Amino acid sequence: MNNTTTYSRIIAGTMTWGNWGKQLSITEMVSLMNQCMENKITSFDHADIYGDYTNEDQFGKAFAQSGIARENVQLISKCGIQFNVKDRTNRVKHYEYGKDYIIASVERSLKLLRTDFLDLLLLHRPSPLMDPFEIAEAIGHLKQQGKIKQFGVSNFTPSQIKLIEKKVPVEANQIEYSLTSNEAMNNGVLDDCIVHDRLAMSWSPLGSYFRNDTPVNQRIGKLLKEFTKKYNATEDQLLLAWILKHPSKIHPVVGTATPERLKLAMEAVRIEMDLQDWFILLEANEGHEVA
């Protein structure tokens, strides 16, 4: 990847900052942004749909009041998913990747975020009707106009990326990856990121561990409680350390809106998990030793 932009090792996911979660006020968003910056979390992940198409506007208002210089942050956004929500004419949830729509979506994101450019634009999910020629025309136009610096995808398989790369390079892939949802390390997705030097990002990096009380998570929890003492770390830090060990140099997109947890997430970067401990946790999740 011709990576002219450096992203913070931990990326702040903004999905739950607004209507889909904490419903932070503008003042609270300003405070959270500055706390991210204090902890060297300089990259912020968005999507046009977050908060039923309202998050970017709220973030943009806060960013304008924050006093943070644009050159000190990296703004990521996504487009393509079409929801059925108030004030939109969609009759069914679908994906839209026509040239005009991609360009219009980016221009809307720029307006709402109060910025002249996105550091990275992602196609949010693959569509069976993707036309690489249309997409390439849109990305070429946006890059030429200086409205996006880099282009990538989210939740794409290597073959779907290959389709897009028929006409335009793909510089990043944001995927689901965690200890409890680790298919990406076995189905070629993370291999593809390494081979083609793509920026790898993981959404939901803590997986289902804190959400579901299952036998699998109970096995994992027993080990994590032991490892918290060994590594002097919290359980969520250890789950992040587990994915940070992968050689694709994954950037976790951490969705918490709690300042202390964001600080702990950034501190997890310093944890060097032992090789066998990594496999012990993998075995706990899989329920059997590796073949």
Side-chain angles (χ1 to χ4, degrees), residues 2-211:
N2 181 20
N3 191 353
T4 57
T5 302
T6 300
Y7 300 89
S8 55
R9 196 69 166 89
I10 299 295
I11 295 173
T14 66
M15 187 177 76
T16 64
W17 287 27
N19 291 347
W20 287 1
K22 295 290 187 179
Q23 300 185 355
L24 300 178
S25 68
I26 301 301
T27 301
E28 289 169 331
M29 283 195 185
V30 170
S31 176
L32 188 55
M33 285 179 203
N34 279 292
Q35 286 168 325
C36 284
M37 298 298 289
E38 288 171 11
N39 288 295
K40 296 184 171 54
I41 299 175
T42 61
S43 303
F44 297 88
D45 179 73
H46 296 271
D48 56 354
I49 62 170
Y50 289 168
D52 289 338
Y53 299 93
T54 65
N55 268 32
E56 287 181 323
D57 185 38
Q58 297 298 301
F59 183 96
K61 289 175 181 175
F63 184 68
Q65 296 178 23
S66 69
I68 299 170
R70 176 64 180 89
E71 61 267 23
N72 292 337
V73 301
Q74 304 79 48
L75 298 180
I76 302 163
S77 197
K78 313 176 196 73
C79 73
I81 298 178
Q82 293 271 32
F83 275 163
N84 302 326
V85 296
K86 184 181 177 183
D87 300 327
R88 295 182 78 91
T89 59
N90 303 321
R91 291 177 291 115
V92 64
K93 182 183 176 184
H94 64 285
Y95 307 118
E96 171 60 70
Y97 291 125
K99 174 185 175 181
D100 292 343
Y101 182 78
I102 293 173
I103 292 172
S105 181
V106 169
E107 290 176 343
R108 178 181 182 275
S109 290
L110 297 180
K111 179 181 178 181
L112 297 181
L113 290 168
R114 279 73 169 173
T115 184
D116 294 327
F117 66 94
L118 294 176
D119 294 276
L120 176 61
L121 170 69
L122 305 175
L123 304 186
H124 205 154
R125 286 191 179 274
S127 169
L129 298 180
M130 292 183 300
D131 182 337
F133 295 89
E134 283 260 335
I135 292 169
E137 284 189 27
I139 300 310
H141 171 83
L142 291 166
K143 283 194 170 185
Q144 186 178 35
Q145 295 289 314
K147 293 179 178 179
I148 64 171
K149 284 188 175 183
Q150 293 183 300
F151 165 67
V153 296
S154 182
N155 307 297
F156 276 51
T157 66
S159 66
Q160 290 163 340
I161 292 176
K162 190 174 182 180
L163 169 68
I164 302 301
E165 288 203 311
K166 180 177 176 66
K167 292 301 295 181
V168 61
V170 173
E171 299 167 279
N173 194 5
Q174 185 179 124
I175 55 161
E176 181 178 15
Y177 181 63
S178 64
L179 173 60
T180 59
S181 184
N182 58 46
E183 295 84 358
M185 69 183 189
N186 299 316
N187 63 12
V189 170
L190 288 178
D191 298 343
D192 172 80
C193 288
I194 295 173
V195 170
H196 296 284
D197 196 24
R198 306 190 210 284
L199 172 67
M201 295 169 281
S202 62
W203 57 266
S204 193
L206 302 183
S208 67
Y209 178 70
F210 291 105
R211 296 197 304 266

